[in-house]
Amino acid sequence: MAPSRRAPARKCAGSAAGRAGSCSWRRRRVLPPAAAMEEFRRAYARLCEAGGAAPQEAVLRRLREPGAAPGRGRLDLAAQSLSLETCGALGRLLPGAAPFAEVALGDCGLSEEGVKLLLHGLCSNTTVKFLDLKGNNLRIIGAEALGKLLRQNKSIRSLILEWNSLGLWEEGFSFFCQGLGANSFLQRLDLRNNQINHQGAGELAMALKRNASLQELDLRWNNIGLLGGRALLNCLHSNKTLKRLELAGNNVPSDILKAVEQALDHNQDRQTILSETRSRTQVLSKEVLSLKNEKAKQFLDLMDTIDRQKEEIARSSRMSAARVSQLQEALDEQHSIMNSLKAKLQMTEAALALSEQKVHSLGELLSAMKQEQTSMAEHHLKELQQQKQEGADREGKLFRELSAASEKNLLLRNQVDELEKKCKVQQDQLFQVKQDLTNTTAELKLRAVQAEERLEVEKRRFKQSLEDVESLRLKEVDCMTQHIEASERSMQERIQRLEAVRIALEEELSQVKAAALSERGQAEEELIKVRNQARLEEQQRLEHLEEKLRLMTESRDEAQNCCLKQKQVVGEAQAKASQLSLHVDRLRRQIEELQQDLNSKEQEKVTEVNKVKVELQEQIGHLQAERTAQEGLKEKIAALERQLKALSSNHREALLDKEGEISMLLEKLRMKEAEISRIREEEAQRASFLQNAIMAYVQGSPLGPLSPRK
């Protein structure tokens, strides 16, 4: 066994030189803070003096080097013979959050008590991740201390125990293996040249079955043998985290080495698949969260738009109510004006009646004067002159009254003009109300189109997510065909997650569709209500206008009748007054012009009403076309849902077929493994028979006593 031990020693020397080179490179990169180094060195010297011993000069020199500074993160005391006091001082300094991430204590010739003190200090350490204890000839106490360290420490990731002969002490090594089985943080362990036999390998196998963090294990140049190799191979069936296991120089058969390599490859594939599944699950969870956020934002946007529509409708209703109140006030003013005009007409009628009475009295006086003229000609000449003067005065009064009546007629014409202006203003207001109605209908149409576009965008996103899910599923099926043994459970879990995600997406899509349909129905109901209200308001306004027109026509007829009566009275009373007849003709012409204007206005109103009806009919036709388009979209959505159901059924059938194929392949693999195990047992029996026969032949031959025993 001596030659086999020298080769790894050379390798270790080369690795130590490589480590020294890497350390020197690290020293060149970063310089440590001198204050922290000085404080650590003073603490070491203080503890040594408190223990009654002088600090070692070699240790102080190493601590003065830049590579051992706390800021550098490495404490290198390799190849230094550390005393018990130094070990105790370092054990007191290392607990807690020590400033070192790497501790190198290789080839230090540590005693059992010194190792115990150092490892006891590292049990509660939280910063050291690399520990090197090679070439220290650790024994039972050291192995027990290592087991305690592995149980309690939660920061060490790499442990080097090369050239320590731990396998010679079965009790200590079993305690060390128990600590390794309880540890869940160590990732790399180096046990080269520790004289571990098949029993120690069995202890390691039991520890590896319980350990779930170790990824690299180096067991080169030990005495594991066939039984130890089998034990390690059997433990790999339950251990799924170990990626590297070195067994060179252990007299392990090649078939076991190949089986170990296959198991390690299986573990590596499993780790890669697990990492891929984790990354994919994270990506899917992020996508689901983003979809939920987008849907929540869209829902909030829809609610905001609905609130804005409601506010706009309330504003329009308020504006319409204000306009209606203004129109009512204008109508009341017109009624008051008409009442005042009627009162004035009554006053003029009373004045005309008085003038008629006066004319009648004058006629009676003229007849009496004609009768008395024959008897009293001379006496009444003077009276006639006086009567002529009185008649002239009366005629002047009548002319004055006629001028006042003409002025009153002019005032009436001005009032009629004002009424016409007010009618025009009302017509303008009606036109503005119609424009507002058209604007509101256009805005509602635009919002409906926007809602449909949002629905189409959501459908596209859902299709893209389904295509992504199908592509992922195809990739996973390919991975299953390549790695059937390793990815069975992971594929089943992935399929379940994907189905859950798809079901959740379908439920969310159905909820979004239901919300969109409900919102669309609400929008349609609100449109119908607004249209009904507009129609009712227009009908009421038209009725009010018709009543006003009827009243105006009645008042106009009454005024015409009064004017005719006045003309008759004036013609009978003042036949001689040509001026009055001319004024009456002018008044008639003006009245005819007013009638023509009224007729033209009535025609304009009729044309405007017809235009409004035509526009309403066109809007109704557009709405019907939109309804037909919406029904077509609903049919398309139903067809797409059917296609999705068919695709999901095909997907489930394909998954069932793949699961059946996987079960068949697993059964075939189990059969092959049984055949391989049977063949191995037969080969082992044959090898044992051959070995026994060779041993019997050698012992029976005459050269048997002379051959060296192995």
Side-chain angles (χ1 to χ4, degrees):
M1 297 298 290
S4 64
R5 295 293 179 100
R6 290 173 185 170
R10 293 173 186 170
K11 293 179 181 178
C12 293
S15 63
R19 290 192 196 94
S22 64
C23 292
S24 64
W25 177 75
R26 290 179 184 174
R27 293 188 204 106
R28 285 194 296 271
R29 278 185 67 191
V30 181
L31 291 176
M37 188 65 243
E38 187 65 27
E39 185 179 356
F40 187 80
R41 190 165 58 249
R42 287 178 183 175
Y44 165 68
R46 196 185 306 115
L47 288 173
C48 288
E49 290 175 358
Q56 291 182 334
E57 292 295 331
V59 175
L60 290 173
R61 282 197 303 273
R62 281 296 181 92
L63 290 174
R64 287 190 186 96
E65 294 177 358
R72 186 69 183 85
R74 181 178 176 82
L75 177 62
D76 191 359
L77 298 175
Q80 301 293 327
S81 58
L82 302 180
S83 63
L84 185 62
E85 289 79 7
T86 300
C87 293
L90 292 174
R92 292 178 185 177
L93 290 171
L94 287 174
F100 299 108
E102 298 181 5
V103 178
L105 299 173
D107 299 321
C108 289
L110 299 174
S111 62
E112 293 289 315
E113 293 296 329
V115 170
K116 187 175 181 181
L117 291 171
L118 283 169
L119 296 179
H120 180 72
L122 286 170
C123 284
S124 59
N125 185 277
T126 58
T127 59
V128 176
K129 295 184 179 181
F130 176 82
L131 180 60
D132 186 0
L133 292 173
K134 71 174 181 179
N136 282 298
N137 197 16
L138 300 179
R139 298 183 181 180
I140 296 175
I141 296 173
E144 291 178 354
L146 284 170
K148 184 179 178 182
L149 175 68
L150 291 174
R151 277 197 183 90
Q152 296 181 3
N153 188 276
K154 298 181 180 180
S155 63
I156 294 175
R157 300 291 186 269
S158 178
L159 180 60
I160 297 175
L161 298 173
E162 185 183 359
W163 290 100
N164 276 299
S165 302
L166 291 173
L168 294 174
W169 319 98
E170 295 181 359
E171 294 180 0
F173 192 70
S174 65
F175 195 80
F176 169 76
C177 292
Q178 290 175 5
L180 179 62
N183 186 278
S184 60
F185 300 95
L186 189 65
Q187 296 179 357
R188 182 174 178 271
L189 179 61
D190 190 353
L191 291 174
R192 290 179 290 177
N193 294 298
N194 273 280
Q195 298 184 12
I196 300 170
N197 55 12
H198 65 278
Q199 294 179 355
E203 294 287 340
L204 273 175
M206 294 296 291
L208 290 173
K209 286 181 180 179
R210 290 177 292 155
N211 187 281
S213 65
L214 193 64
Q215 297 180 1
E216 297 182 8
L217 178 60
D218 196 346
L219 293 173
R220 289 180 289 180
W221 313 108
N222 286 295
N223 296 322
I224 291 173
L226 176 64
L227 297 176
R230 286 182 179 176
L232 291 171
L233 179 61
N234 291 327
C235 80
L236 290 176
H237 292 296
S238 59
N239 187 302
K240 303 297 183 183
T241 58
L242 194 63
K243 295 181 181 179
R244 183 181 176 188
L245 178 61
E246 298 290 342
L247 294 174
N250 281 286
N251 296 325
V252 179
S254 60
D255 57 349
I256 293 175
L257 290 175
K258 289 180 181 179
V260 168
E261 288 179 358
Q262 290 178 358
L264 293 173
D265 293 337
H266 179 74
N267 287 341
Q268 288 180 358
D269 294 337
R270 184 175 180 276
Q271 290 294 327
T272 55
I273 290 166
L274 285 173
S275 63
E276 288 177 358
T277 52
R278 286 171 186 169
S279 63
R280 287 176 182 174
T281 51
Q282 289 176 0
V283 171
L284 287 172
S285 63
K286 289 179 181 178
E287 288 180 356
V288 169
L289 289 172
S290 64
L291 286 171
K292 286 182 180 178
N293 292 326
E294 287 179 359
K295 289 178 181 177
K297 289 179 181 178
Q298 290 175 0
F299 180 72
L300 292 172
D301 293 335
L302 288 171
M303 292 299 292
D304 292 334
T305 53
I306 289 166
D307 293 334
R308 290 173 184 172
Q309 288 177 1
K310 288 180 180 178
E311 289 177 357
E312 288 177 357
I313 290 166
R315 288 176 184 174
S316 63
S317 63
R318 290 172 186 171
M319 292 291 288
S320 62
R323 288 174 182 174
V324 168
S325 63
Q326 291 176 359
L327 291 171
Q328 287 290 334
E329 290 176 357
L331 287 171
D332 294 333
E333 289 177 356
Q334 289 178 0
H335 281 297
S336 63
I337 291 165
M338 291 297 293
N339 292 323
S340 64
L341 289 171
K342 287 179 180 178
K344 289 178 180 179
L345 286 170
Q346 289 175 359
M347 292 291 288
T348 53
E349 287 177 355
L352 288 170
L354 290 172
S355 64
E356 287 176 356
Q357 288 178 1
K358 288 179 181 180
V359 169
H360 185 67
S361 63
L362 288 169
E364 290 179 354
L365 288 170
L366 287 170
S367 63
M369 294 221 15
K370 285 179 181 180
Q371 289 176 3
E372 291 177 357
Q373 190 176 6
T374 57
S375 62
M376 296 174 73
E378 293 177 357
H379 179 73
H380 288 290
L381 287 171
K382 296 179 181 179
E383 290 179 358
L384 286 171
Q385 291 176 356
Q386 291 178 358
Q387 285 179 357
K388 286 179 181 179
Q389 289 177 356
E390 287 177 359
D393 294 330
R394 287 175 184 175
E395 285 178 354
K397 288 179 181 179
L398 287 172
F399 280 118
R400 290 171 187 173
E401 287 176 357
L402 287 171
S403 63
S406 63
E407 289 176 357
K408 288 179 181 179
N409 287 323
L410 290 171
L411 290 171
L412 289 171
R413 288 175 187 175
N414 293 324
Q415 289 176 358
V416 169
D417 293 331
E418 288 177 356
L419 289 171
E420 287 176 354
K421 289 178 181 179
K422 288 180 180 179
C423 288
K424 287 180 180 179
V425 170
Q426 290 176 0
Q427 288 175 0
D428 294 331
Q429 290 177 355
L430 286 170
F431 184 71
Q432 288 179 358
V433 170
K434 290 175 184 178
Q435 286 181 350
D436 293 331
L437 285 171
T438 54
N439 291 325
T440 52
T441 52
E443 288 177 356
L444 290 171
K445 287 178 182 178
L446 288 172
R447 288 169 184 168
V449 170
Q450 289 177 359
E452 289 176 356
E453 288 176 354
R454 288 176 182 172
L455 282 172
E456 289 177 356
V457 170
E458 288 179 355
K459 288 175 185 177
R460 290 173 184 171
R461 288 179 181 172
F462 181 69
K463 287 180 181 179
Q464 289 179 359
S465 63
L466 284 175
E467 289 175 357
D468 294 333
V469 169
E470 287 179 357
S471 63
L472 289 171
R473 183 179 61 77
L474 291 171
K475 290 179 182 179
E476 289 171 357
V477 168
D478 294 331
C479 292
M480 285 169 64
T481 54
Q482 291 176 2
H483 307 285
I484 293 169
E485 295 178 355
S487 62
E488 180 183 0
R489 296 178 183 175
S490 63
M491 284 296 292
Q492 290 178 357
E493 293 175 356
R494 190 180 298 163
I495 289 162
Q496 290 176 359
R497 289 174 185 172
L498 288 170
E499 287 180 351
V501 170
R502 185 176 57 76
I503 291 165
L505 289 170
E506 288 178 354
E507 290 177 354
E508 289 177 355
L509 195 142
S510 61
Q511 290 175 2
V512 170
K513 287 180 180 177
L517 290 171
S518 63
E519 290 173 356
R520 190 180 292 170
Q522 290 177 0
E524 289 177 354
E525 290 177 356
E526 289 176 355
L527 277 170
I528 291 165
K529 289 179 181 178
V530 169
R531 287 172 184 168
N532 292 326
Q533 289 178 359
R535 288 175 184 173
L536 291 171
E537 289 175 357
E538 287 179 355
Q539 289 177 359
Q540 290 176 359
R541 288 171 185 170
L542 290 170
E543 289 175 356
H544 286 300
L545 290 170
E546 288 175 355
E547 287 177 357
K548 289 176 184 178
L549 288 170
R550 184 172 57 78
L551 293 171
M552 289 288 289
T553 52
E554 288 177 357
S555 63
R556 182 174 57 80
D557 295 330
E558 290 175 357
Q560 287 177 358
N561 293 323
C562 292
C563 289
L564 291 171
K565 288 178 181 179
Q566 287 178 0
K567 286 177 183 180
Q568 290 176 1
V569 171
V570 170
E572 291 174 354
Q574 297 177 352
K576 296 178 181 179
S578 62
Q579 295 178 356
L580 289 173
S581 63
L582 293 171
H583 285 295
V584 169
D585 293 329
R586 289 176 184 174
L587 288 171
R588 285 178 182 176
R589 290 174 184 174
Q590 289 177 357
I591 289 164
E592 287 175 356
E593 288 175 357
L594 289 171
Q595 286 179 355
Q596 290 177 0
D597 293 330
L598 288 171
N599 292 323
S600 63
K601 288 178 182 179
E602 286 177 356
Q603 289 178 359
E604 288 176 357
K605 287 180 181 179
V606 171
T607 53
E608 286 177 356
V609 169
N610 292 324
K611 286 180 181 178
V612 170
K613 288 180 180 180
V614 170
E615 288 176 356
L616 290 171
Q617 288 178 359
E618 288 177 356
Q619 290 178 0
I620 290 163
H622 288 301
L623 290 171
Q624 288 178 356
E626 288 177 356
R627 284 181 182 175
T628 54
Q630 288 177 359
E631 288 176 355
L633 289 171
K634 288 178 181 178
E635 291 177 357
K636 288 180 181 178
I637 290 164
L640 289 170
E641 288 177 352
R642 291 171 187 171
Q643 290 178 1
L644 287 171
K645 288 179 181 178
L647 288 170
S648 62
S649 63
N650 294 326
H651 177 63
R652 289 175 183 171
E653 289 176 359
L655 288 173
L656 292 171
D657 295 334
K658 292 294 181 182
E659 287 176 356
E661 290 177 1
I662 289 164
S663 62
M664 292 293 290
L665 290 169
L666 287 170
E667 288 177 359
K668 289 179 181 179
L669 285 170
R670 288 172 186 169
M671 294 292 289
K672 288 181 179 179
E673 286 177 356
E675 289 178 1
I676 289 165
S677 61
R678 182 174 56 77
I679 290 165
R680 285 177 181 172
E681 288 175 357
E682 289 177 358
E683 287 178 355
Q685 289 177 2
R686 290 175 185 172
S688 63
F689 288 150
L690 287 169
Q691 188 177 4
N692 292 326
I694 290 165
M695 292 295 292
Y697 177 78
V698 170
Q699 289 176 3
S701 66
L703 298 174
L706 297 175
S707 62
R709 295 184 65 186
K710 292 184 180 179

